[in-house]
Amino acid sequence: MANADARGISRRRVVKSGLAVAGARIAGPFVMSARAAEAVRIGLDNPLTGPVASLGKNELIGCQMAIDEINARGGVLGRPVELIVEDSTSGDAGTAVMKARKLIDRDKIDFLLGNDNSALALAMAQVSNEKGILHIVPGGHTDAITGSSCNWNVFRVCNTTQMEANAVAAALIEQYGKKSYYITPDYAFGHTLEAAMTKAIAALDGERVGGDLTPLGTVDFSSYLIKAQAANPDVIVFLVPGDDMLNAMKQAVQFGLQNKVHLAGAHQEMEPLEGLPPEARIGVWVMEWYWNQPGVPHVAEFVEATKKRTGRVPTARTWFGYVSVWTCALAAAKANSLKALDMAKALQDFHLPPEIALGPNPAFYCAGQNQLLASLFVGEAQAKGSAPDDFFKVTKVVNGAKVAGTLEESGCKMKWPT
Amino acid sequence: MLLFAPFWMNAIGGYTELATRIVVMGLAAMSLNFLLGFTGVLSFGHAAYFGLGAYGTAMAIKYWAVGSIPAIVLGVIVATIAAMIIGALIIKLRGVYFAMVTIAFGQVFYFIAFRWNAVTGGDDGLTGWRRLPINFGFAELDIVQNDRAFYYFALAIFAVCVAAMAVLLNSPFGRSLIAIRENERRARFLGVPIEFHVWLSFVISCLFVSAAGGLYALLNNFIDPRALRVDLSGNLVIMAVLGGMRSFWGPLIGAAIFVALQDYVSSQTQNWMSVIGLVFVLVVRFFPRGVLGMLRTGAKA
Amino acid sequence: MSQVVLFNVFNGLIVGAFYALMALGLSLILNLSGVINFAHGGFLALGAYLAYTLIPYIGFWGALIVAPPLTAVLGLVIEWLLIRPLYGKDPLYSLLLTFGLAYIFEDVTRLIWGAQSVPFQVPGWLMSSLSSQYFFLTGYRVFMMIIVAAAVGGLFAVLKYTRLGMRIRAGTRDLDTVSTLGVNVRVLRSLNFGIGIYMAGLAGVLAAGLLGLSPTIGANLIMPSFVAIIVGGLGSLLGTLIGGLMIGVASGLAAVYFPSATEAVIYVMMALVLLVRPRGLLGEEGRLH
């Protein structure tokens, strides 16, 4: 028995070494991959599969559009820029972190972009901070990214939940009434959004008559809707995003609740709106960017360019990706260097040019917090608009800078390397 | 055996994290195989204990600022206690039903990690901590910045656990487990206390998988609830099967192939899920004995 | 407050009926063939998307009639090609295989129909509530109840009164004996699988009217099905039905008293059942192994 084992083990050893060599051969091309030594590299580590795949894919399109434009204008610091895309998957942080490390260590990226998923964004921020790489978060919403967990090298394009809440609260009270009932998704995004909404509404004499925390991925909201209706509010505020919002709205409209109570919410996006049947496209919401902005220069060109590429209008996510990549290029240009520290300093209070900002208000990265303050679009979802993809009627464009809290409120204490 | 490893890892070069991840997953897969391949009992919910080990480790560092090794030990203790309790609950079931229940319990822990926001950080994950350098008293091993040093640290833990597993499997206890795998009824007639042995095997298997979980948390300096999902459980099982369930080292090979493949494919195409799914299907249909299983029969013939 | 409770119980039964439909298909396959069909959610999604694609041509009712059998056909093909060779073997293999299939299904549906949610059109007159007071009784939910009741009733009738049904029931208890009695076990298993998938496809079409239709629609529904089977009892279809209803009602009640625990409550229920009666409420003896 012992002899057989010894032989077995040595055979295994050979096999394992052989496999190892084979593995090295397969991995070989990666290590020695011929990437243009000259190019500036931007690494995108975002979900392209899983529940938020549609958002990640639209951001990717925005990134690609920006890359093409930048290269057409001579690149970054005279060098061509290329985008290296990795699917962070919607799985656990390990994959996203591993991909981030791969991008930084092996592919030698100069910039890191990602992630839509708040947990993954935070995990990646730790990596980028450790390695000193400039990191732009296009669409991860947890306030901590530019709040309690802020870092000098991490910048964020999309809004904080506080900003979204502040933007839409006034509209809700004016149009619908003071008593609100909240349907809140039970995770960080939901909690901060609800806290922000409650605070904003209280400041306007509004009243919270009740609320429910719903598990993420709830398919059936009927029990919550029953409770909500029994509490007799003026408006039911749906803070659930994405597919949860879809289910909730669909069911609420099926129940005919819109005839008894107003239905509204805070955060809204084109992607889930498209999945709603037309009769359920109702309510007051706030979007972070919208394509139909008559009278604002450059927007129409952006919309046309996107339509040519994909056949659909750009969504806020497309714009996030677009801004993220352009921010990298502009930071490098202003700092005249690719060193993260120089670029991060260059981005403090940095204003985006109008053809990137694509909105009526100035868009700039707030100093000390690295949060982009731009425009928020409050409006009503509509079944049909002036154009095929016009699902949202903008009633008010809010200036992000006016609804952002103070630096103290955000909890961000930024530490710069010496 | 393990001495060979560092040489070819270095040859692959600057992507040490992949190697470390393979070692961690390999340990997890081998732990699962203790139960699956050697006792013949399928658990499809091992990610729960992996995750418990990871969270235990992470919380120990975050809230009590302990060193890396004590943190892993704490994680292991938490997970093992859970395994003991759950194991006692489900020990009467077998076969598909056991597997189903392990899936369900896996989800329970995922759910707890997700909801217990204040403690676990909820969906955002547990952040704001990182592995600390190990102080040996006479020297300090910097496993924080130095990726390669961490790899060797992980390898050391791996070696310890694997050695322990080997010792257990070669003992009379281990042999009775194999007897249970081969023919449970006969083992019962021979007087083997089936329930107790299966329970013990389950607990031991979870113990080691939680050590892998602790390493995983240290590797990423991060842990979030998705690490407890049934996807990971399924991946561990496929690694064990892919490498060869009946052999000791098989799961490590399976882990190496699977992790490297997943990394490569997801960089190449957005449709990597189909490829991975296809791997599952192909392995089950055409290579159920796994790589090492095939090689062994090949060598005999 | 009690009105809210009553409403939620009532509504819980409706939702539970839907869970039961999905769980029954899963249970059917599990009981006869010992296969844990992880891809059940994928078949559900497929049924939903097939209906979505067919609606512009044959309308909602046409899709309702056609999509589930189409899904079942696909299920039969997969069963024949991939699952059949695994029957004698360790259940591990079929679990792994269906696990991989679930990945493939999700990816393929995303590839064909896109990652975004798509709007699913249900006839307008079904969409509104039947009464203002019982507003949660929408036409659609009542309709869904009727369909589920019909499907479940049909299933039980088939099992009780037809020869096929009798063979399935016998096979569930002792497949070897059934085989020696001259029944073609292979065909039996295939048909059984086909019926299970038909139910998944039907659940998919119904789900699409209720929820948003995206590639991950099946993923959230599969765990409650598992729990329904475990709670209701292994090997018992009636148990699965009751398990599904219990899940619906438990979630509804939890929504009233512990809103954030609606998910947890079904697992708590499962843990309790396992403690007190490991084979489930209506589980049969000897099904544990």
Side-chain angles (χ1 to χ4, degrees):
Chain A
M1 194 62 172
N3 278 341
D5 273 0
R7 260 184 286 127
I9 289 174
S10 62
R11 200 183 304 139
R12 278 185 218 140
R13 230 180 255 180
V14 170
V15 162
K16 192 161 190 234
S17 315
L19 278 168
V21 173
R25 289 248 179 80
I26 298 174
F30 283 99
V31 187
M32 273 79 78
S33 65
R35 301 213 184 271
E38 287 230 6
V40 171
R41 287 177 221 107
I42 303 184
L44 176 65
D45 187 358
N46 226 12
L48 295 169
T49 51
V52 292
S54 55
L55 306 179
K57 285 184 197 252
N58 280 333
E59 284 179 15
L60 174 61
I61 293 174
C63 289
Q64 286 166 336
M65 284 173 60
I67 294 270
D68 289 347
E69 281 182 15
I70 295 172
N71 280 332
R73 297 185 207 183
V76 171
L77 297 178
R79 295 157 59 180
V81 60
E82 72 170 324
L83 186 71
I84 307 180
V85 181
E86 290 280 357
D87 182 4
S88 69
T89 78
S90 301
D92 75 299
T95 312
V97 165
M98 192 172 78
K99 301 278 172 114
R101 295 197 121 100
K102 186 209 274 192
L103 287 167
I104 296 177
D105 291 336
R106 201 191 67 192
D107 300 327
K108 306 264 183 278
I109 53 171
D110 301 290
F111 304 92
L112 180 66
L113 263 47
N115 189 292
D116 283 346
N117 205 309
S118 296
L120 274 50
L122 285 170
M124 284 166 56
Q126 279 189 204
V127 177
S128 68
N129 187 255
E130 179 193 318
K131 308 264 184 183
I133 299 268
L134 197 69
H135 182 173
I136 320 269
V137 179
H141 284 82
T142 191
D143 286 11
I145 295 177
T146 50
S148 50
S149 302
C150 69
N151 286 309
W152 63 268
N153 66 312
V154 178
F155 291 78
R156 171 174 40 196
V157 175
C158 68
N159 296 286
T160 63
T161 56
Q162 183 72 57
M163 286 163 71
E164 291 188 285
N166 291 340
V168 80
L172 282 184
I173 297 213
E174 279 163 28
Q175 278 183 257
Y176 289 158
K178 301 205 174 205
K179 295 193 287 186
S180 38
Y181 189 97
Y182 295 92
I183 306 260
T184 312
D186 196 0
Y187 71 122
F189 170 80
H191 298 160
T192 49
L193 191 54
E194 188 190 341
M197 281 294 280
T198 321
K199 201 165 96 172
I201 295 218
L204 297 165
D205 275 338
E207 186 194 336
R208 180 185 188 275
V209 298
D212 277 322
L213 285 174
T214 69
L216 201 60
T218 298
V219 291
D220 185 69
F221 283 86
S222 41
S223 27
Y224 302 109
L225 292 171
I226 290 175
K227 280 180 74 181
Q229 195 257 358
N232 214 2
D234 291 319
V235 53
I236 301 181
V237 182
F238 292 95
L239 299 177
V240 280
D243 281 342
D244 286 11
M245 181 278 308
L246 233 180
N247 295 341
M249 286 302 289
K250 204 164 166 172
Q251 287 156 24
V253 170
Q254 283 178 2
F255 288 175
L257 279 181
Q258 74 275 21
N259 301 323
K260 306 183 187 210
V261 162
H262 293 286
L263 307 175
H267 178 92
Q268 185 58 275
E269 307 200 51
M270 279 294 279
E271 287 86 353
L273 263 191
E274 286 171 3
L276 274 177
E279 65 271 10
R281 278 202 283 267
I282 57 176
V284 167
W285 309 86
V286 60
M287 284 210 187
E288 302 186 70
W289 186 87
Y290 194 58
W291 66 271
N292 193 3
Q293 299 185 49
V296 179
H298 306 293
V299 177
E301 285 114 60
F302 183 67
V303 174
E304 281 315 305
T306 313
K307 274 204 194 151
K308 222 186 295 191
R309 217 180 249 261
T310 68
R312 309 294 306 270
V313 295
T315 69
R317 298 281 168 173
T318 324
W319 183 71
F320 290 161
Y322 184 70
V323 169
S324 301
V325 168
W326 263 110
T327 303
C328 301
L330 294 169
K334 176 155 176 218
N336 201 14
S337 117
L338 282 175
K339 289 222 218 23
L341 192 55
D342 297 338
M343 292 194 285
K345 293 217 170 104
L347 281 177
Q348 301 298 306
D349 274 338
F350 180 80
H351 283 248
L352 294 175
E355 60 269 19
I356 315 281
L358 295 177
N361 296 308
F364 67 98
Y365 286 99
C366 169
Q369 213 191 335
N370 296 356
Q371 171 66 48
L372 185 72
L373 303 176
S375 309
L376 290 121
F377 299 79
V378 178
E380 288 167 29
Q382 53 188 5
K384 237 187 333 194
S386 54
D389 280 326
D390 196 10
F391 296 144
F392 193 68
K393 187 174 81 173
V394 179
T395 52
K396 187 164 86 165
V397 181
V398 175
N399 191 337
K402 297 223 168 66
V403 290
T406 62
L407 188 58
E408 238 176 80
E409 283 172 346
S410 74
C412 175
K413 294 187 177 49
M414 200 165 288
K415 285 195 268 290
W416 290 86
T418 43
Chain B
M1 163 91 261
L2 297 165
L3 291 173
F4 281 3
F7 292 113
W8 53 265
M9 291 293 189
N10 287 337
I12 298 186
Y15 194 7
T16 321
E17 289 78 14
L18 184 64
T20 321
R21 196 167 148 103
I22 290 179
V23 165
V24 172
M25 288 301 167
L27 176 61
M30 287 173 76
S31 317
L32 171 68
N33 204 36
F34 191 92
L35 185 67
L36 174 64
F38 289 96
T39 318
V41 174
L42 170 62
S43 161
F44 219 78
H46 255 52
Y49 309 99
F50 182 84
L52 273 174
Y55 267 99
T57 308
M59 293 200 280
I61 296 189
K62 173 154 189 177
Y63 296 124
W64 295 326
V66 298
S68 301
I69 297 187
I72 295 186
V73 168
L74 275 167
V76 167
I77 292 178
V78 168
T80 310
I81 294 180
M84 287 160 85
I85 301 177
I86 308 267
L89 268 180
I90 64 179
I91 202 57
K92 296 235 180 297
L93 304 170
R94 283 295 182 286
V96 279
Y97 306 115
F98 186 86
M100 277 182 70
V101 173
T102 55
I103 295 175
F105 272 109
Q107 286 296 102
V108 173
F109 285 110
Y110 166 69
F111 170 79
I112 293 179
F114 201 92
R115 293 315 210 74
W116 206 3
N117 267 317
V119 171
T120 67
D123 181 63
D124 271 3
L126 202 63
T127 174
W129 60 275
R130 51 178 49 207
R131 54 191 189 247
L132 304 169
I134 300 183
N135 199 327
F136 284 122
F138 53 88
E140 212 181 54
L141 182 62
D142 176 21
I143 57 168
V144 183
Q145 295 289 5
N146 191 334
D147 289 332
R148 211 164 280 179
F150 185 72
Y151 168 73
Y152 284 110
F153 172 72
L155 199 60
I157 306 268
F158 173 81
V160 166
C161 293
V162 163
M165 275 196 272
V167 162
L168 282 168
L169 282 173
N170 276 324
S171 71
F173 171 66
R175 260 171 259 144
S176 67
L177 290 181
I178 298 183
I180 295 178
R181 176 189 80 195
E182 292 303 321
N183 190 327
E184 192 175 313
R185 218 173 275 178
R186 202 185 302 160
R188 205 186 280 269
F189 286 154
L190 286 172
V192 177
I194 303 273
E195 253 99 57
F196 179 67
H197 273 53
V198 172
W199 176 81
L200 199 56
S201 171
F202 179 76
V203 171
I204 293 176
S205 161
C206 293
L207 194 155
F208 289 117
V209 95
S210 67
L215 276 177
Y216 190 68
L218 291 176
L219 170 63
N220 296 323
N221 288 323
F222 194 85
I223 184 66
D224 73 291
R226 275 159 284 260
L228 291 129
R229 259 197 336 211
V230 68
D231 307 28
L232 184 63
S233 297
N235 290 344
L236 290 178
V237 177
I238 200 73
M239 288 181 215
V241 173
L242 176 57
M245 276 190 320
R246 289 300 162 91
S247 80
F248 188 66
W249 292 107
L252 178 62
I253 309 258
I257 299 179
F258 189 80
V259 172
L261 184 67
Q262 195 174 33
D263 187 54
Y264 176 61
V265 173
S266 63
S267 304
Q268 299 297 102
T269 163
Q270 286 178 20
N271 295 107
W272 58 269
M273 277 184 96
S274 292
V275 175
I276 297 294
L278 211 60
V279 165
F280 273 72
V281 172
L282 289 174
V283 165
V284 169
R285 277 293 274 123
F286 300 115
F287 307 108
R289 276 192 316 265
V291 168
L292 280 191
M294 266 174 30
L295 285 170
R296 208 177 279 169
T297 15
K300 275 195 201 129
Chain C
M1 193 60 170
S2 63
Q3 198 196 46
V4 176
V5 174
L6 206 63
F7 277 15
N8 263 309
V9 170
F10 207 171
N11 186 56
L13 283 172
I14 299 179
V15 174
F18 173 74
Y19 284 139
L21 180 65
M22 186 166 171
L24 275 170
L26 200 59
S27 188
L28 204 61
I29 298 173
L30 178 62
N31 294 341
L32 182 67
S33 316
V35 171
I36 302 181
N37 185 15
F38 232 97
H40 214 69
F43 283 110
L44 182 144
L46 216 61
Y49 272 106
L50 280 173
Y52 167 74
T53 317
L54 290 171
I55 283 186
Y57 304 106
I58 55 179
F60 176 73
W61 303 105
L64 184 65
I65 298 179
V66 169
L70 266 181
T71 321
V73 165
L74 182 66
L76 283 171
V77 169
I78 290 186
E79 192 262 348
W80 177 59
L81 276 177
L82 296 173
I83 302 188
R84 200 179 280 201
L86 299 175
Y87 280 136
K89 304 200 181 157
D90 202 308
L92 157 71
Y93 294 114
S94 57
L95 184 54
L96 279 179
L97 186 104
T98 55
F99 192 79
L101 278 178
Y103 272 7
I104 298 180
F105 275 13
E106 183 182 321
D107 205 41
V108 166
T109 45
R110 188 172 22 246
L111 191 65
I112 301 181
W113 285 284
Q116 253 163 246
S117 303
V118 290
F120 189 85
Q121 283 294 41
V122 172
W125 59 269
L126 268 183
M127 290 302 269
S128 45
S129 300
L130 292 185
S131 109
S132 182
Q133 211 213 353
Y134 299 105
F135 61 84
F136 58 88
L137 269 185
T138 63
Y140 190 74
R141 286 178 181 236
V142 173
F143 162 71
M144 198 172 71
M145 273 287 259
I146 296 177
I147 296 283
V148 170
V152 171
L155 178 68
F156 280 102
V158 162
L159 285 175
K160 190 152 181 190
Y161 296 119
T162 68
R163 218 179 324 173
L164 170 67
M166 184 179 63
R167 286 177 183 164
I168 290 181
R169 276 187 295 135
T172 306
R173 279 179 201 275
D174 190 340
L175 201 56
D176 290 329
T177 310
V178 167
S179 162
T180 52
L181 286 175
V183 173
N184 187 336
V185 170
R186 275 212 299 260
V187 170
L188 190 65
R189 280 188 170 131
S190 297
L191 287 175
N192 182 57
F193 193 83
I195 298 177
I197 301 299
Y198 174 84
M199 298 186 80
L202 183 63
V205 180
L206 291 176
L210 201 63
L211 317 167
L213 180 55
S214 75
T216 50
I217 187 176
N220 287 329
L221 294 169
I222 199 165
M223 277 316 301
S225 306
F226 271 29
V227 174
I229 294 179
I230 295 175
V231 164
L234 316 161
S236 160
L237 286 178
L238 185 59
T240 307
L241 176 63
I242 294 181
L245 292 173
M246 281 176 67
I247 288 183
V249 173
S251 288
L253 283 175
V256 179
Y257 296 114
F258 299 109
S260 50
T262 51
E263 232 183 323
V265 76
I266 59 178
Y267 295 115
V268 169
M269 232 167 46
M270 178 188 78
L272 281 174
V273 166
L274 281 172
L275 256 180
V276 169
R277 198 177 155 97
R279 53 189 156 95
L281 292 176
L282 292 181
E284 299 155 4
E285 280 287 4
R287 289 302 302 182
L288 299 177
H289 295 258

